Amino acid sequence: MSVTVADVEAARRTIAGRVLRTPMLPAPKLSALTGAEVYVKYENLQVTNSFKERGALNKLASLNELARARGVIAMSAGNHAQAVAYHAARLGIPATIVMPVTTPFVKVEATEAYQAEVVLDGETVSEAQMRAEALARERRLTWVHPYDDPLVIAGQGSIALEMLEDAPALDMLVIPIGGGGLIAGNAVAARARKPSIEIIGAEAALYPSFWNTLRGENRPLGGPTLAEGIAVKNVGVLALPIVRELVAEIVLVDEAHLERAVYAYLTLQKTMAEGAGAAGLAAMLVKPEKFRGRKVGLILCGGNIDPRILASVMVRELEREDRIVSFRLTIPDRPGVLGQIATRLGELGANILEVDHRRLFLDVPAKGAKLDVTVETRGQVHGEEIFEALEAEGYQPVWIDTATTME
Amino acid sequence: MSVTVADVEAARRTIAGRVLRTPMLPAPKLSALTGAEVYVKYENLQVTNSFKERGALNKLASLNELARARGVIAMSAGNHAQAVAYHAARLGIPATIVMPVTTPFVKVEATEAYQAEVVLDGETVSEAQMRAEALARERRLTWVHPYDDPLVIAGQGSIALEMLEDAPALDMLVIPIGGGGLIAGNAVAARARKPSIEIIGAEAALYPSFWNTLRGENRPLGGPTLAEGIAVKNVGVLALPIVRELVAEIVLVDEAHLERAVYAYLTLQKTMAEGAGAAGLAAMLVKPEKFRGRKVGLILCGGNIDPRILASVMVRELEREDRIVSFRLTIPDRPGVLGQIATRLGELGANILEVDHRRLFLDVPAKGAKLDVTVETRGQVHGEEIFEALEAEGYQPVWIDTATTME
């Protein structure tokens, strides 16, 4: 294999003291949620909030004086961009980061904050990639690949060494898969340290590139996903043989489970995971029987989620739990009815969040009006009680979906 | 003083291995935000997500067989309740927790999850307190006070011992003040270990009990605060002399700065702080000149914030940054206008989140209609550009405040 545990150990020495040795802690509430004994490795606490610094720094540190003077280049709109920019700046190496023109402004800003030159070029990722390759040749810059480089893979593998030092009894590691650099490095390191450990990959169901390749399937790839950090259409050339040999199983995670996992990290573990960072936990929620009773290590590999998207996930999850519900009521169009309903909802213990009184809309019968009320409840059972009480009072309630409010 | 560093050291030995030795990490993005060199102690990673376990366990561990068999009682609707319930259950001690009848259902549930008997009684905190005292006498239960107990104060102080071991160069600690147990224990421990260290208290501006007592002022106490964990109207009897002697200054933190601090922890540090947990950071934002250039240790003392409130804080902060803005437009009431506006907003790089088209409302002039649009922008300057462009097109835009959407 292209990467050995000796490479990972060397990487660990190289990056020691310059990349955070992140906390690895038991997560009792996630254990209660999943039925497994869960430990979390908080890579979201790195300076740029993802594990990508490990591989990027290991690569940068390997460059000779001449290569450092010329500078490095990477193509990424995400965590790899910030990791390369941050450590290049620390080492005094000029960094050029190419991103597609459609990249959200906040990601450009976050990378420029570390003094990198950001080049916006190409409508798509592959166009940006071609432009970056041309630029690399033209300016004689060293390419820092996000995953298809032995030094990058070895750097990522340092995570598993730390995890097994802190929790030697682990039975399994569940690791997100995009291009495969993270899982490959950690599979090599973990299986060398503890041959019995089982490595499970968590891949986005919308981007099943390793799944397809390993199983000879041809599932479609693409679409918007919360786990953009692992939305990769190709398998890493170096990672593939490692994954084939050392990874026991790949679990595909759909968007609903990714959202639930992000929400669980936030509300139960009080930490912020991006979609890709929560993919391992999502895999546990998809296949709980696989993990029940086992000691499972999760790599929370990144925390860079847009606050607006996080707010939207939170509101949707609260609705899924029926802690926020909306009804459309039909009410007689006379004074005082709104007050009566509000009072009745108060008696029922429902906290009114929003009222929309559409008495002037065309679809309202002449003698009545529609009232949309959104209330906070104590959960599903309470929501149903409120519904029944409103029905008993003759308001003809209809459940409506308000998730769209935040979307 | 009622608590010495020897008491804190004893407490630390008592709770070792049963309460998490939480991570203490540099927070470079909070350093960039404040101009200080910031370190964060993550007490929100405790099992019940607050520091309260330290004091509660130190108290519980001190009880003899008879007292353990009879059981303990506490009055709290918050973190102290969960801390007592959790460690009592672990030690096989029956726990009774009294909460006011108005306590949100989720807090009751969280405490019952640890097998405690929750008694809902009393309309107010002081009524609940009286009921709890009566119950304690009646059932001969040991009282576990949230702050006015030397064993509880000594337990909390173990945090500072860990912080100074991990970061001996700290110049200051900024510590939230409610009843004063947290700051008293940590002031004793920190000043004993490092006499030059400066201890700053962060008190909610709506509950300035220590501020009033120490300065002889009479500011009003009360009102709804995001920092409910430190919304305490009385000063701790044991804490007061310690605070008077060892605390250099108290900074009052208003609600806007508490919100900003919760948001900064979430988006910059990827961790969830409740209002009280973020009070130390809020104090740094209130008085940045006091901390600039210094090595500052923050105790992120709790992470139990209602997800709905957090979502609301997030949306409000995005609006404050003008990353979400809303305009009310006056538009000619003819087909195709909505499409024109949407296209124009797209050209301007504004991402449309919500459109409310009120053509049938009574306050609309006969030949026009009102259109409320909410868009995501790249920040304040971008928001103003969009406003000016809409004005130039004759839509008479008016800024509107949409923070209420989530409230």
Side-chain angles (χ1 to χ4, degrees):
Chain A
M1 281 184 295
S2 55
V3 177
T4 67
V5 68
D7 298 328
V8 177
E9 283 160 353
R12 192 181 178 194
R13 287 190 295 273
T14 301
I15 67 177
R18 292 160 183 164
V19 160
L20 195 65
R21 190 191 194 294
T22 50
M24 160 83 170
L25 301 171
K29 289 183 181 165
L30 298 182
S31 299
L33 180 69
T34 58
E37 190 179 329
V38 181
Y39 293 77
V40 175
K41 179 75 167 163
Y42 290 89
E43 286 297 302
N44 61 339
L45 292 177
Q46 298 289 359
V47 172
T48 61
N49 306 112
S50 94
F51 74 98
K52 290 280 188 185
E53 292 183 26
R54 294 173 185 261
L57 175 57
N58 196 41
K59 175 71 179 181
L60 294 174
S62 74
L63 302 184
N64 64 24
E65 282 303 312
L66 182 61
R68 290 187 187 212
R70 282 183 182 145
V72 297
I73 187 167
M75 200 291 291
S76 163
N79 293 334
H80 180 60
Q82 291 181 53
V84 171
Y86 171 65
H87 284 284
R90 268 192 49 248
L91 297 168
I93 301 173
T96 306
I97 311 288
V98 182
M99 299 182 177
V101 292
T102 53
T103 303
F105 190 69
V106 281
K107 296 194 169 186
V108 177
E109 248 181 348
T111 307
E112 285 177 338
Y114 298 117
Q115 281 96 52
E117 180 191 345
V118 174
V119 177
L120 290 170
D121 207 339
E123 284 294 323
T124 65
V125 166
S126 53
E127 277 179 39
Q129 178 70 20
M130 280 172 58
R131 176 71 185 123
E133 284 169 12
L135 210 58
R137 281 191 301 272
E138 193 182 299
R139 300 190 186 171
R140 306 178 72 187
L141 304 173
T142 301
W143 190 260
V144 184
H145 197 280
Y147 50 86
D148 233 341
D149 182 313
L151 287 162
V152 171
I153 292 175
Q156 322 301 28
S158 59
I159 298 169
L161 298 182
E162 295 172 9
M163 291 176 86
L164 282 167
E165 268 173 26
D166 291 346
L170 286 176
D171 298 316
M172 308 168 103
L173 299 183
V174 191
I175 305 178
I177 303 194
L182 178 66
I183 198 169
N186 285 288
V188 166
R191 294 291 298 274
R193 275 284 190 283
K194 184 170 183 174
S196 68
I197 203 165
E198 214 175 315
I199 312 290
I200 309 291
E203 193 166 36
L206 289 172
Y207 292 83
S209 52
F210 276 90
W211 174 283
N212 279 347
T213 306
L214 294 173
R215 300 192 168 217
E217 290 189 18
N218 200 14
R219 298 195 181 200
L221 298 153
T225 173
L226 186 62
E228 40 184 40
I230 54 172
V232 179
K233 289 188 179 177
N234 308 307
V235 299
V237 173
L238 299 178
L240 181 60
I242 299 175
V243 172
R244 199 190 293 278
E245 187 174 329
L246 299 179
V247 172
E249 183 177 340
I250 290 178
V251 176
L252 296 182
V253 293
D254 56 276
E255 296 303 304
H257 282 94
L258 285 167
E259 288 198 9
R260 211 154 298 167
V262 166
Y263 186 73
Y265 267 125
L266 191 71
T267 56
L268 301 178
Q269 219 50 41
K270 314 299 176 187
T271 192
M272 190 153 144
E274 59 184 88
L281 178 58
M284 295 186 72
L285 299 176
V286 167
K287 284 201 157 186
E289 69 289 354
K290 178 153 196 66
F291 304 96
R292 199 166 289 134
R294 313 288 299 276
K295 291 185 176 63
V296 180
L298 293 175
I299 302 179
L300 197 184
C301 61
N304 290 315
I305 186 170
D306 184 305
R308 202 175 63 74
I309 291 172
L310 182 64
S312 153
V313 167
M314 288 171 67
V315 171
R316 260 206 300 275
E317 286 298 314
L318 286 168
E319 284 173 354
R320 235 172 235 152
E321 293 173 356
D322 279 353
R323 280 197 54 209
I324 297 181
V325 292
S326 296
F327 309 109
R328 177 159 295 165
L329 309 180
T330 304
I331 59 173
D333 195 9
R334 56 175 166 74
V337 175
L338 184 55
Q340 282 167 21
I341 291 174
T343 305
R344 187 75 188 98
L345 286 168
E347 289 163 5
L348 291 162
N351 181 19
I352 300 175
L353 301 178
E354 223 177 317
V355 173
D356 197 354
H357 195 178
R358 315 201 164 210
R359 68 196 318 179
L360 293 168
F361 279 16
L362 281 182
D363 63 342
V364 173
K367 297 207 169 165
K370 295 283 182 194
L371 182 75
D372 291 353
V373 288
T374 300
V375 297
E376 184 186 25
T377 74
R378 290 192 296 261
Q380 206 184 332
V381 175
H382 189 206
E384 281 158 15
E385 283 168 18
I386 295 165
F387 181 89
E388 281 159 23
L390 293 170
E391 201 162 38
E393 310 246 342
Y395 294 123
Q396 305 166 43
V398 177
W399 295 89
I400 53 179
D401 181 10
T402 58
T404 46
T405 310
M406 286 295 305
E407 280 170 328
Chain B
M1 281 185 292
S2 55
V3 178
T4 66
V5 68
D7 298 328
V8 178
E9 283 161 354
R12 190 180 180 195
R13 287 190 296 273
T14 301
I15 67 176
R18 293 163 182 160
V19 160
L20 195 65
R21 190 193 194 293
T22 50
M24 160 83 172
L25 300 170
K29 287 183 184 166
L30 298 182
S31 298
L33 178 70
T34 58
E37 190 178 331
V38 180
Y39 293 77
V40 174
K41 179 75 168 163
Y42 290 89
E43 286 298 301
N44 61 339
L45 292 177
Q46 297 289 359
V47 172
T48 61
N49 305 114
S50 93
F51 74 98
K52 290 281 187 184
E53 292 183 27
R54 295 174 184 262
L57 175 56
N58 195 42
K59 175 70 177 181
L60 293 175
S62 74
L63 301 185
N64 64 24
E65 283 303 312
L66 181 62
R68 289 186 188 213
R70 281 184 184 144
V72 297
I73 187 167
M75 199 291 289
S76 162
N79 294 334
H80 180 61
Q82 290 181 53
V84 171
Y86 171 64
H87 284 284
R90 269 191 49 249
L91 296 169
I93 301 174
T96 305
I97 310 288
V98 182
M99 300 181 177
V101 292
T102 52
T103 303
F105 190 68
V106 281
K107 297 197 170 182
V108 176
E109 249 181 347
T111 306
E112 284 177 340
Y114 298 117
Q115 282 94 51
E117 181 191 345
V118 174
V119 176
L120 290 170
D121 207 339
E123 285 293 324
T124 64
V125 166
S126 53
E127 278 180 39
Q129 178 71 20
M130 279 172 60
R131 176 71 186 123
E133 284 168 12
L135 210 59
R137 280 191 301 273
E138 194 181 299
R139 301 190 186 172
R140 306 178 72 187
L141 304 172
T142 301
W143 190 260
V144 185
H145 197 280
Y147 50 86
D148 234 340
D149 182 313
L151 287 162
V152 171
I153 292 175
Q156 321 302 29
S158 58
I159 298 170
L161 297 181
E162 296 172 9
M163 291 176 85
L164 281 167
E165 267 173 29
D166 291 347
L170 287 176
D171 298 315
M172 308 168 105
L173 298 184
V174 191
I175 305 178
I177 303 194
L182 178 67
I183 198 167
N186 285 289
V188 166
R191 293 290 299 274
R193 275 283 189 283
K194 183 170 184 172
S196 68
I197 203 165
E198 213 174 316
I199 312 291
I200 309 291
E203 192 165 37
L206 290 173
Y207 291 83
S209 51
F210 275 92
W211 174 283
N212 278 348
T213 305
L214 293 173
R215 300 194 168 216
E217 291 188 18
N218 201 13
R219 298 195 181 202
L221 298 153
T225 173
L226 186 62
E228 40 184 41
I230 52 172
V232 179
K233 289 188 180 176
N234 307 306
V235 298
V237 173
L238 298 178
L240 181 59
I242 299 175
V243 172
R244 198 189 294 277
E245 186 172 330
L246 299 179
V247 172
E249 182 176 342
I250 291 178
V251 176
L252 295 183
V253 294
D254 56 278
E255 295 302 305
H257 282 93
L258 285 167
E259 288 199 9
R260 211 155 296 167
V262 165
Y263 186 74
Y265 267 126
L266 191 71
T267 56
L268 301 179
Q269 218 50 39
K270 314 297 178 188
T271 193
M272 189 153 144
E274 58 183 270
L281 178 57
M284 294 186 72
L285 299 176
V286 167
K287 283 204 158 183
E289 68 289 354
K290 177 153 197 66
F291 304 97
R292 200 166 287 136
R294 312 289 298 277
K295 291 186 176 63
V296 180
L298 292 175
I299 302 180
L300 198 185
C301 61
N304 291 315
I305 186 170
D306 184 305
R308 200 176 63 74
I309 291 172
L310 182 64
S312 153
V313 167
M314 288 170 68
V315 171
R316 259 204 302 274
E317 286 298 315
L318 286 167
E319 284 174 355
R320 233 172 238 153
E321 292 173 357
D322 280 353
R323 280 198 52 210
I324 297 181
V325 293
S326 297
F327 309 108
R328 178 159 295 165
L329 310 180
T330 303
I331 59 172
D333 195 9
R334 55 177 166 73
V337 175
L338 184 54
Q340 283 167 19
I341 291 174
T343 305
R344 187 74 188 98
L345 287 169
E347 289 163 5
L348 291 163
N351 182 19
I352 300 176
L353 302 178
E354 222 177 318
V355 173
D356 196 354
H357 195 175
R358 315 200 163 210
R359 70 195 316 177
L360 292 168
F361 279 16
L362 281 182
D363 62 341
V364 171
K367 297 206 170 168
K370 296 283 182 195
L371 182 77
D372 291 353
V373 289
T374 301
V375 297
E376 184 186 24
T377 74
R378 289 193 296 263
Q380 205 183 334
V381 175
H382 190 206
E384 280 159 16
E385 283 167 17
I386 296 165
F387 181 90
E388 282 160 22
L390 292 170
E391 200 162 39
E393 311 246 341
Y395 295 122
Q396 305 166 41
V398 177
W399 293 90
I400 53 179
D401 180 11
T402 58
T404 45
T405 309
M406 287 295 306
E407 280 170 325

